[in-house]
Amino acid sequence: MQQDTQNRVRIHKVEVLSDDWYVLRKTTYDYQRKDGSWQTMSRETYDRGNGATILLFNKARQTVVLTRQFRFPAFVNGHHGMLIETCAGLLDQDDAETCIRRETEEETGYSVRNVRKVFEAFMSPGSVTEILHFFVGEFDAPDRVGDGGGVESDGEDIEVLEVTLDRALQMINEGEIMDGKTIMLLQYAKLNGLLS
């Protein structure tokens, strides 16, 4: 059910706290609660644009392609930082499908086939504005057009992994896969019989 919130929010002040990488803003606003009363609040929002992610799969081999790369925010939160993830990237000026095809070639070296969007989601709506578009697509050995690995000038140093879907799901249970978007797409694949 769609909620009309336009008349329940009065923005008073927007401050840019940082725009070095993406944009961090602090906004002070009034919000009308369910009982009709107004409450003044302030929230910080991190705007890095929207993104896209994809699960590459091969039915014949019963496998999926994932990536492994160093993630500094995970590192400073006590993790070793080497996260296993689905291929992903920010839209920049592209539409979501164009973005994910570009990112797939850059990160994995595959030109993906039969790409389709399966859903979209806010990943951390308490503070991050990003909507992430989720895709699935097929790959095969002849579709390999490069080595992948990402764009070195962007600091990317990506390892490409091909594992069975069952092994990937087991890696979630064992704590080897801790990335939210990756867990969502692997569970989508299992629930929807993507490799059947």
Side-chain angles (χ1 to χ4, degrees):
M1 182 173 67
Q2 186 144 5
Q3 299 283 320
D4 180 11
T5 54
Q6 292 299 315
N7 296 323
R8 296 178 62 185
V9 177
R10 298 171 180 162
I11 294 175
H12 295 296
K13 185 178 181 182
V14 180
E15 302 167 80
V16 176
L17 303 180
S18 173
D19 62 358
D20 183 51
W21 183 245
Y22 297 110
V23 182
L24 177 64
R25 297 182 178 89
K26 180 180 180 181
T27 301
T28 304
Y29 63 98
D30 291 338
Y31 177 75
Q32 188 177 34
R33 301 174 62 86
K34 292 190 298 290
D35 64 6
S37 65
W38 289 87
Q39 183 176 17
T40 300
M41 294 186 278
S42 66
R43 292 288 185 272
E44 292 180 7
T45 56
Y46 190 55
D47 184 355
R48 45 178 257 138
N50 295 324
T53 185
I54 189 168
L55 181 65
L56 302 182
F57 66 95
N58 183 297
K59 284 185 180 179
R61 297 207 293 249
Q62 292 291 293
T63 58
V64 297
V65 166
L66 302 172
T67 63
R68 177 161 38 213
Q69 62 183 309
F70 180 69
R71 294 297 198 183
F72 186 70
F75 178 77
V76 299
N77 197 21
H79 190 270
H80 52 67
M82 298 302 295
L83 290 188
I84 297 174
E85 307 174 30
T86 50
C87 174
L90 294 176
L91 302 191
D92 296 325
Q93 304 303 316
D94 292 327
D95 62 84
E97 184 172 333
T98 300
C99 162
I100 204 57
R101 287 182 179 276
R102 180 192 69 238
E103 292 290 339
T104 300
E105 287 196 21
E106 289 178 358
E107 294 189 3
T108 71
Y110 284 104
S111 177
V112 66
R113 293 181 284 116
N114 300 325
V115 175
R116 64 185 170 91
K117 184 176 175 179
V118 290
F119 55 87
E120 61 188 41
F122 289 101
M123 298 301 291
S124 188
S127 57
V128 179
T129 63
E130 179 185 28
I131 294 174
L132 191 61
H133 302 262
F134 289 76
F135 290 86
V136 295
E138 297 182 61
F139 77 96
D140 203 351
D143 301 327
R144 196 97 192 238
V145 295
D147 294 331
V151 179
E152 185 174 346
S153 60
D154 289 347
E156 294 178 328
D157 183 18
I158 297 171
E159 179 184 356
V160 181
L161 310 173
E162 182 178 354
V163 297
T164 65
L165 175 60
D166 287 342
R167 174 59 189 145
L169 292 166
Q170 186 181 2
M171 292 164 81
I172 298 172
N173 292 333
E174 294 171 351
E176 290 185 67
I177 294 178
M178 295 181 64
D179 174 61
K181 65 182 182 299
T182 305
I183 294 171
M184 292 167 73
L185 276 174
L186 290 171
Q187 291 181 338
Y188 172 89
K190 183 67 174 178
L191 289 170
N192 292 276
L194 193 64
L195 275 68
S196 302

